[in-house]
């Protein structure tokens, strides 16, 4: 199980680093979007802060996953982003759904593997 955790953690970390790095460094041209997804994307870009914030969190969490440090914190920080990736792909861009499913399930798997670190958060005191 340790090897599986290591593989999933590094793969997701590299994926997050690639996505955030290509956003900030403009390595990959913007994909052509249509319909509802285009309207949604225009709204995200118009907010001016939301995409850079999400990509910065992705970069921090990607570095955490690859280095293996602060993974418990990174799991919590990136969870809302992976959930949004899944929902956006499910409702607006189903052709990219496998990537969204992989990232979301990988995040859930890592939360499960590090569950002992979260137990104290759920104790009623």
């Amino acid at each position: 199980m340790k090897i599986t955790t290591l593989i999933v953690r590094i793969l997701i970390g590299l994926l997050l680093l690639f996505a955030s790095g290509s956003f900030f460094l403009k390595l990959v041209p913007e994909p052509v979007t249509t319909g509802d997804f285009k309207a949604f994307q225009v709204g995200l870009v118009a907010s001016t802060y939301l995409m850079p914030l999400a990509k910065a969190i992705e970069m921090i969490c990607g570095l955490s996953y690859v280095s293996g440090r602060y993974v418990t914190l990174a799991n919590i920080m990136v969870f809302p982003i992976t959930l949004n990736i899944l929902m956006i792909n499910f409702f607006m861009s189903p052709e990219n759904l496998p990537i969204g499913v992989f990232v979301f399930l990988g995040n859930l798997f890592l939360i499960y593997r590090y569950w002992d670190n979260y137990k104290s958060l759920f104790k009623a005191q």
Side-chain angles (χ1 to χ4, degrees):
M1 197 65 139
K2 283 185 178 184
I3 294 174
T4 305
T5 303
L6 182 68
I7 291 169
V8 169
R9 184 171 50 83
I10 290 177
L11 284 176
I12 291 177
L14 291 174
L15 186 63
L16 291 173
L17 285 174
F18 175 75
S20 59
S22 64
F23 173 80
F24 288 121
L25 300 175
K26 309 277 189 242
L27 297 176
V28 179
E30 290 291 322
V32 178
T33 57
T34 58
D36 291 340
F37 186 57
K38 182 173 182 137
F40 181 76
Q41 187 177 22
V42 167
L44 285 177
V45 172
S47 72
T48 67
Y49 78 93
L50 197 55
M51 285 302 290
L53 175 65
K55 293 300 180 180
I57 291 171
E58 284 182 13
M59 182 171 284
I60 291 167
C61 293
L63 288 170
S64 175
Y65 284 161
V66 169
S67 70
R69 300 181 55 89
Y70 304 107
V71 175
T72 303
L73 178 61
N75 286 333
I76 296 299
M77 286 176 55
V78 83
F79 183 77
I81 294 172
T82 61
L83 180 61
N84 275 299
I85 290 169
L86 179 67
M87 292 295 112
I88 289 167
N89 288 332
F90 182 78
F91 290 108
M92 296 183 207
S93 181
E95 63 275 3
N96 295 326
L97 189 57
I99 295 170
V101 169
F102 170 72
V103 172
F104 181 72
L105 291 179
N107 188 220
L108 285 180
F109 173 75
L110 290 174
I111 289 172
Y112 168 75
R113 287 292 291 142
Y114 291 93
W115 185 251
D116 288 340
N117 298 342
Y118 302 114
K119 283 183 180 178
S120 65
L121 295 174
F122 297 100
K123 284 185 181 174
Q125 295 185 18

